[in-house]
Amino acid sequence: MEYNFRDIEQKWQAYWKNNNTYKTEIDPAKPKYYVLDMFPYPSGAGLHVGHPLGYIASDIFSRYKRLQGFNVLHPMGYDAYGLPAEQYAIQTGQHPAVTTKINIARYREQLEKIGFCYDWDREIRTCEPDYYHWTQWAFVQMFNHYFNTKLQKAQPISGLVKAFETVGTEGIQASCTEELNFTSTEWKAKSEKDQQEILLNYRIAYLADLKVNWCPALGTVLANDEVSEGLSVRGGHPVEQRVMRQWSLRVSAYAQRLLDGLSTIDWTESLTETQKNWIGRSEGAELRFDIKGQDFNFEVFTTRADTIYGVTFMVLAPESELVKQVTTPEQASEVEAYLDATKKRTERERLADRRVTGVFSGSYAINPVSGTEIPIWISDYVLAGYGTGAIMAVPAHDNRDYAFAKHFNLPIIPLIEGCDVSEESLDAKEGIMMNSGFLNGLTVKEAIAKAKEYIAEKQLGRVKVNFRLRDAIFSRQRYWGEPFPVYYKEGMPYMLDESKLPLELPEIDKFLPTEKGEPPLGRAKNWETQDHFPLELCTMPGFAGSSAYYLRYMDPKNDKALVSPEANQYWRNVDLYIGGTEHATGHLVYSRFWNKFLFDLGIICEDEPFKKLINQGMIQGRSNFVYRIKDTNTFVSLNLKDKYETTQLHVDVNIVSNDILDTEKFKNWLPDYANAEFILEDGKYICGWAVEKMSKSMYNVVNPDDIVEKYGADTLRLYEMFLGPLEQSKPWDTNGIDGVHRFLKRLWSLFYKDGNLLVSDETPTADELKILHKTIKKITFDIENFSYNTSVSAFMICVNELFTLKCSKRGILEPLSILLAPFAPHVAEELFYVLGNEGTVCDAIFPVCNEEYLKESAIKYPISFNGKVRFMLELPADMSKEDVEKAALANELTIKQLDGNSPKKVIVVPGKIVNIVL
RNA sequence: GCCCGGAUGGUGGAAUGGUAGACACGAAGGACUUAAAAUCCUUUGGCUUCACGGCUGUGCGGGUUCAAGUCCCGCUUCGGGUACCA
């Protein structure tokens, strides 16, 4: 009987479905384990072979944990809202809900073919009302809470209102957009509208006028992580800065907790680093500068308080509100012109062209420490959104200030002994201070500390921590997203009552903005409350639905709550999360924020959502090339191409095998090539190759369905793991897949020969047991360490050795089939079944290594001289160190090597090696 | 610029400081076959030797060590992230 993977895989996939093998329920008798994949966006292109890499890895771990007796939660769903479906809808008129449904069906079909152990009863789709009900609900909670900076947690906004009523802003410790000051009397005197406006300054979900990334091509604003180098991450369209009234989430309030939490979770170092940089904590001082001849002052943030004596000018961001106040009448027209010019420049232009630009405001500030007068300039190299939007410039020790000073011919005062600032600034925090009054003679490090102390003591400012992390802009002027549960009364936003949730996405006639330029929801009929208050026209961004989806899997059908306390307390949080690094500063920040917020509310019991996180590498494409001789339809094989003048052309990798082109398929591939002729080498056409991004245009996309069709799901699973370390990026190269398939056939041949079952009940020999237990040990270790490529090797070695011994004994093959089940579940099920077992291999018990079987009676010692191995010497395993040394020295080959000399030293590592130093 | 991660045969890759190249692909040779496929066996880092063997070898240059792909220092180079963040 042949290894008929098609029948086997069909049979067991049907069995799993019919027997609910992967249905998961709360079971207090068992320890839980939650394994999660980053759920996919169901694109129209379907899955390519890169997608399953992480899914296979998590599937192996899920199955392994189950075999070890854990109650494993391993769900899958779809991140179903998003731009591509809507762009497609604009082009074709096809409703995004329809295309999304089709795409999901395709994904599901592809995923099922690979044999994952997902509990499909828990599937979620972010675009379904019973799911986004809870996205909207969470938003309402964020609106109703503020962040208490003293408690470092979210608190009901009602508490803040109470405080305003009794003491005003006195002693308020709340994260806010801007510092406000008013008394309780003032608060009470305000209109409802004004009070609401003030509360927006504190709410965790708030509406505010913000400088945002506006993408005209997509017709929407984007969050910081959705923009890279002035272009939208999706589509690569230019992005410009605009001030718009937008919903935002006060993620920045959680900056410190997001940072602290990183040390409590087991993520890769590179990922925690990326998040740390994104959060960007910097410790420094906020320093107050008076303005000459005026009765107001302003503050700057600096991490280099030690350089206060080197400040030769100040710079304000063009958007800073101070600009108006400091501009003198004489400079007004020049400043005006500059502001106009900068406004016209897009973010991209500013980044591409780093010319030094700026204008003098006409005013002078007073150095609070030295008392000197320093000019105040305006320049776009200072960002309005960071710190106070104003800086003190120290050209000698900051390269940006240096460039500015050189350009406008401003003084440069060096502050470090022996430094040369004639060509460039000295930015490093090292050296001994000079020209710095009370700081002279100190090291930079000491000076920073002393200066901060001084500033605090003299009340010139205060010690301050700044974060780079910004609030997340939460409005999108698009259709295909969650509607906000928001209506407007006198222009102020109010939340819908929870009983009105979910607020369902309405139908519209066209997926485009209205003639008035409103978002697409402006087209919806009766888009208002029962009392005729208008509803919000924006929808939520992509990360809204993905921020708490892992919680919903715990209790996906609950219509009373996001997750019940029982389900949450049992499943707690994700034990193992596998996905790509591209979410490092987006989803993985927002999810942690969202989780912490719900934790503050007592809805969930864990402060961090993902305990352990592994990033699978990207699967790159491996493109193949053919070489057409110029002006002909003749193609020349790779190693002969240099003899001709050729053009390199991409060829579909699916008609190439082991870099050999199927010339007949090539002729049928594209009409142009129907009459192609070939110059072959050794009767074959060899293609060139290169590693490129996997994309349609490179003709290097490989569909997992094709691999499953040709080799079976088990081969695909094993091969994807065999390709290399999980976390490493690697090209998809089908060249090695035959070896993995051969392995399965060889395994099969231990069970069957010529259609007869070979399995016997004979007692296994010591050698056979050693092979088995060596493999158990290795596989267990490798799974725990996610070293799946070496596991596959270990299986191959095991089967090769059993094959050599012609071992078909049940006592070996049965544990082996269980061991293999996480990796190749279909064939494992079948083999487990033919061995006479009932039910599924999923309910078996993972074999445990018995060290007794691994004991060796003899060890082959490599005998090395000065570290170079010269020969092997077999000695009893229990021989003492001294006896090993004696035996090694007494050996005639040693005597020959020594050549009459006596060794200087002999190193014996018992069980390992002998090194003789000459 | 800054922060991470790499660099090992023709290819993918393996190697708790202890025999570098496991396992696999590819290639070469052979068996079976009318033939092909499939399967099985042998060889396969480089140089050298009839052979035993020897020399050399993990991007480059140093160092630590009885022993270095592995640890340390200094480079080269390729990926990834991030950036007027004061």
Side-chain angles (χ1 to χ4, degrees):
Chain A
M1 201 159 105
E2 291 280 293
Y3 165 46
N4 188 335
F5 58 85
R6 282 194 191 89
D7 291 354
I8 293 169
E9 291 179 2
Q10 240 172 37
K11 170 181 164 187
W12 288 101
Q13 283 173 14
Y15 176 94
W16 296 332
K17 206 174 210 170
N18 296 336
N19 292 279
N20 288 320
T21 305
Y22 303 126
K23 189 160 177 59
T24 313
E25 310 265 24
I26 290 176
D27 180 355
K30 279 187 186 173
K32 69 99 188 185
Y33 202 88
Y34 186 177
V35 181
L36 186 63
D37 295 299
M38 289 186 186
F39 65 167
Y41 173 79
S43 86
L47 292 173
H48 65 63
V49 287
H51 292 107
L53 185 78
Y55 304 159
I56 296 167
S58 63
D59 200 62
I60 291 170
F61 207 77
S62 304
R63 289 172 178 276
Y64 166 73
K65 278 286 172 183
R66 175 164 173 179
L67 289 168
Q68 287 201 323
F70 286 84
N71 188 19
V72 177
L73 178 58
H74 186 41
M76 181 46 93
Y78 306 96
D79 189 12
Y81 271 138
L83 275 178
E86 184 164 351
Q87 294 292 74
Y88 188 75
I90 291 168
Q91 285 161 25
T92 63
Q94 178 92 279
H95 198 288
V98 175
T99 42
T100 301
K101 217 171 200 163
I102 294 169
N103 293 346
I104 286 177
R106 171 104 192 273
Y107 267 58
R108 173 72 179 265
E109 197 184 318
Q110 287 185 298
L111 289 169
E112 287 199 330
K113 276 187 191 168
I114 305 173
F116 294 120
C117 62
Y118 296 127
D119 177 1
W120 284 111
D121 287 350
R122 290 176 184 261
E123 181 198 285
I124 55 172
R125 302 175 182 194
T126 55
C127 65
E128 293 293 332
D130 61 355
Y131 178 84
Y132 67 68
H133 181 162
W134 304 105
T135 311
Q136 293 174 338
W137 171 84
F139 179 82
V140 172
Q141 306 311 312
M142 288 181 195
F143 183 82
N144 289 333
H145 285 78
Y146 76 101
F147 189 82
N148 184 310
T149 51
K150 186 170 182 211
L151 302 173
Q152 279 287 304
K153 72 185 276 200
Q155 295 286 292
I157 196 88
S158 54
L160 199 59
V161 173
K162 214 165 265 166
F164 289 161
E165 282 167 357
T166 49
V167 293
T169 51
E170 182 76 38
I172 292 291
Q173 292 186 299
S175 289
C176 56
T177 312
E178 61 178 315
E179 295 282 348
L180 300 176
N181 281 300
F182 51 79
T183 62
S184 63
T185 325
E186 284 167 336
W187 168 261
K188 283 181 209 152
K190 287 179 198 293
S191 67
E192 145 115 25
K193 189 180 168 182
D194 287 350
Q195 288 183 346
Q196 285 302 322
E197 185 68 43
I198 285 168
L199 289 176
L200 285 175
N201 190 50
Y202 299 95
R203 296 181 191 275
I204 288 176
Y206 65 96
L207 193 59
D209 291 309
L210 297 165
K211 196 173 155 193
V212 297
N213 306 301
W214 171 256
C215 179
L218 295 173
T220 186
V221 302
L222 297 168
N224 280 343
D225 68 285
E226 293 169 325
V227 179
S228 176
E229 299 187 353
L231 298 175
S232 66
V233 171
R234 273 204 193 266
H237 305 291
V239 170
E240 56 190 53
Q241 305 296 300
R242 235 193 223 192
V243 174
M244 292 175 76
R245 194 161 164 86
Q246 299 287 300
W247 283 104
S248 278
L249 303 185
R250 209 174 295 283
V251 179
S252 63
Y254 281 83
Q256 188 63 49
R257 273 175 65 190
L258 289 168
L259 185 65
D260 293 342
L262 289 173
S263 59
T264 68
I265 49 184
D266 181 11
W267 289 13
T268 59
E269 199 191 312
S270 76
L271 196 64
T272 42
E273 272 309 310
T274 304
Q275 286 218 345
K276 265 185 204 164
N277 293 340
W278 188 258
I279 295 166
R281 184 182 204 270
S282 78
E283 281 181 42
E286 221 164 60
L287 201 51
R288 203 171 48 247
F289 282 73
D290 287 331
I291 293 168
K292 187 190 165 195
Q294 303 247 24
D295 61 352
F296 71 96
N297 52 44
F298 67 100
E299 289 176 326
V300 300
F301 176 73
T302 180
T303 54
R304 294 293 303 272
D306 57 310
T307 60
I308 184 72
Y309 285 92
V311 179
T312 56
F313 57 100
M314 312 290 291
V315 188
L316 301 179
E319 299 85 355
S320 169
E321 286 173 9
L322 292 163
V323 168
K324 268 187 216 145
Q325 292 177 272
V326 298
T327 303
T328 57
E330 303 82 63
Q331 289 297 104
S333 63
E334 223 178 301
V335 169
E336 191 76 19
Y338 182 71
L339 295 186
D340 272 357
T342 37
K343 237 180 241 165
K344 281 188 191 121
R345 290 174 89 194
T346 64
E347 185 73 3
R348 188 164 161 70
E349 280 164 354
R350 266 192 53 211
L351 287 170
D353 162 29
R354 292 200 178 175
R355 266 179 315 167
V356 176
T357 63
V359 63
F360 177 48
S361 70
S363 295
Y364 291 83
I366 312 287
N367 186 318
V369 178
S370 70
T372 46
E373 293 178 11
I374 37 189
I376 302 173
W377 286 69
I378 297 153
S379 172
D380 66 1
Y381 84 92
V382 173
L383 302 178
Y386 185 77
T388 62
I391 62 154
M392 58 179 224
V394 185
H397 302 292
D398 182 286
N399 61 63
R400 297 155 302 184
D401 298 345
Y402 187 86
F404 195 84
K406 280 279 175 184
H407 189 264
F408 288 106
N409 214 7
L410 297 160
I412 299 169
I413 306 174
L415 302 173
I416 303 292
E417 286 178 14
C419 74
D420 174 15
V421 293
S422 59
E423 291 298 323
E424 55 179 5
S425 60
L426 176 76
D427 292 19
K429 294 181 188 174
E430 52 196 36
I432 305 293
M433 304 297 299
M434 63 174 191
N435 295 337
S436 292
F438 69 101
L439 299 170
N440 282 339
L442 298 175
T443 65
V444 170
K445 237 180 157 183
E446 291 164 348
I448 292 174
K450 180 118 185 227
K452 277 203 233 171
E453 221 172 89
Y454 183 88
I455 288 162
E457 202 175 292
K458 306 266 172 185
Q459 300 198 335
L460 306 174
R462 56 186 171 145
V463 172
K464 173 111 201 247
V465 173
N466 255 330
F467 292 94
R468 208 192 71 115
L469 184 72
R470 304 298 160 78
D471 289 347
I473 305 216
F474 204 61
S475 301
R476 295 293 180 274
Q477 290 68 28
R478 303 292 300 208
Y479 173 69
W480 192 232
E482 299 85 349
F484 280 85
V486 172
Y487 66 93
Y488 290 89
K489 202 160 84 182
E490 287 184 61
M492 291 311 297
Y494 292 86
M495 294 297 118
L496 292 179
D497 190 83
E498 279 183 32
S499 65
K500 297 277 191 284
L501 301 184
L503 174 64
E504 293 201 24
L505 186 65
E507 291 303 321
I508 54 174
D509 54 351
K510 256 200 263 177
F511 306 102
L512 286 170
T514 65
E515 281 69 29
K516 284 187 280 178
E518 291 167 336
L521 287 188
R523 296 174 176 276
K525 285 192 189 106
N526 306 321
W527 190 237
E528 55 185 26
T529 63
Q530 279 166 327
D531 308 327
H532 307 294
F533 291 114
L535 290 162
E536 168 71 53
L537 299 182
C538 287
T539 55
M540 296 185 192
F543 66 82
S546 58
S547 285
Y549 76 112
Y550 56 92
L551 292 170
R552 189 61 179 165
Y553 281 134
M554 296 174 184
D555 197 7
K557 305 253 179 351
N558 192 333
D559 60 1
K560 301 284 183 298
L562 167 64
V563 55
S564 70
E566 299 76 45
N568 181 252
Q569 272 157 33
Y570 182 74
W571 297 111
R572 308 195 73 82
N573 55 5
V574 176
D575 294 282
L576 174 66
Y577 197 23
I578 296 188
T581 39
E582 66 272 21
H583 299 109
T585 55
H587 163 62
L588 289 173
V589 171
Y590 299 128
S591 251
R592 293 182 60 223
F593 154 76
W594 204 285
N595 188 86
K596 285 178 188 299
F597 172 73
L598 295 176
F599 175 77
D600 287 351
L601 268 56
I603 306 289
I604 56 171
C605 59
E606 291 281 356
D607 185 38
E608 283 289 340
F610 314 119
K611 266 197 272 197
K612 183 175 176 66
L613 186 138
I614 289 185
N615 293 122
Q616 89 276 17
M618 276 232 304
I619 295 271
Q620 297 146 308
R622 187 181 188 276
S623 311
N624 275 116
F625 301 111
V626 291
Y627 304 91
R628 182 165 63 190
I629 299 172
K630 226 182 160 196
D631 303 323
T632 69
N633 209 6
T634 304
F635 295 82
V636 57
S637 186
L638 176 68
N639 298 304
L640 302 173
K641 75 175 165 64
D642 292 344
K643 295 180 187 165
Y644 306 87
E645 200 181 330
T646 58
T647 319
Q648 175 176 285
L649 299 167
H650 277 96
V651 59
D652 189 342
V653 294
N654 295 296
I655 60 171
V656 177
S657 168
N658 291 338
D659 292 335
I660 297 164
L661 180 70
D662 185 323
T663 52
E664 284 311 305
K665 282 185 186 164
F666 182 72
K667 287 183 185 177
N668 293 328
W669 179 43
L670 295 175
D672 280 2
Y673 304 144
N675 301 315
E677 296 188 23
F678 304 94
I679 299 174
L680 308 176
E681 50 182 310
D682 303 329
K684 295 171 204 157
Y685 189 97
I686 314 277
C687 297
W689 62 274
V691 173
E692 298 175 306
K693 205 177 130 96
M694 197 172 271
S695 90
K696 264 187 182 168
S697 61
M698 314 270 192
Y699 297 110
N700 60 8
V701 176
V702 182
N703 184 331
D705 296 1
D706 295 341
I707 305 289
V708 169
E709 178 59 29
K710 196 165 168 198
Y711 296 99
D714 287 333
T715 299
L716 173 73
R717 292 171 63 108
L718 287 171
Y719 186 59
E720 292 227 6
M721 295 300 102
F722 189 57
L723 223 42
L726 183 59
E727 303 193 29
Q728 190 175 302
S729 282
K730 55 230 158 189
W732 176 262
D733 175 358
T734 321
N735 286 349
I737 198 165
D738 289 308
V740 172
H741 192 64
R742 239 168 252 160
F743 153 73
L744 287 178
K745 285 200 276 192
R746 184 169 272 204
L747 169 69
W748 190 262
S749 78
L750 294 177
F751 287 74
Y752 284 103
K753 195 182 180 186
D754 304 326
N756 300 315
L757 194 62
L758 298 174
V759 178
S760 78
D761 285 317
E762 268 177 80
T763 312
T765 64
D767 276 349
E768 290 163 349
L769 285 167
K770 193 197 282 177
I771 292 168
L772 174 69
H773 284 264
K774 187 178 75 180
T775 308
I776 294 171
K777 189 176 180 177
K778 174 76 176 149
I779 298 297
T780 309
F781 180 83
D782 282 351
I783 295 180
E784 298 279 357
N785 291 284
F786 303 95
S787 178
Y788 297 146
N789 55 329
T790 53
S791 312
V792 178
S793 298
F795 279 121
M796 288 173 170
I797 293 167
C798 174
V799 168
N800 286 346
E801 289 177 350
L802 293 176
F803 183 83
T804 309
L805 296 176
K806 303 248 170 303
C807 171
S808 294
K809 294 170 187 166
R810 179 188 309 277
I812 300 295
L813 295 183
E814 193 165 298
L816 182 60
S817 67
I818 301 168
L819 209 54
L820 185 67
F823 295 82
H826 309 86
V827 72
E829 288 278 21
E830 181 67 17
L831 296 176
F832 190 69
Y833 168 77
V834 302
L835 287 164
N837 293 289
E838 297 272 325
T840 162
V841 73
C842 297
D843 293 331
I845 292 165
F846 201 76
V848 177
C849 169
N850 184 342
E851 294 280 344
E852 283 300 309
Y853 296 123
L854 301 182
K855 282 194 178 148
E856 301 274 355
S857 58
I859 291 167
K860 275 190 181 166
Y861 277 94
I863 311 297
S864 59
F865 295 82
N866 289 341
K868 280 182 189 173
V869 176
R870 283 289 113 109
F871 63 93
M872 306 298 287
L873 183 60
E874 190 164 314
L875 295 170
D878 55 0
M879 201 180 220
S880 73
K881 205 171 159 177
E882 291 72 29
D883 290 344
V884 170
E885 181 172 336
K886 269 184 215 156
L889 287 174
N891 191 279
E892 52 182 300
L893 288 165
T894 305
I895 292 162
K896 206 171 126 193
Q897 285 288 340
L898 287 172
D899 196 21
N901 301 311
S902 57
K904 284 205 189 94
K905 200 173 177 184
V906 179
I907 312 274
V908 176
V909 184
K912 275 270 155 66
I913 198 166
V914 177
N915 190 20
I916 298 168
V917 186
L918 299 176

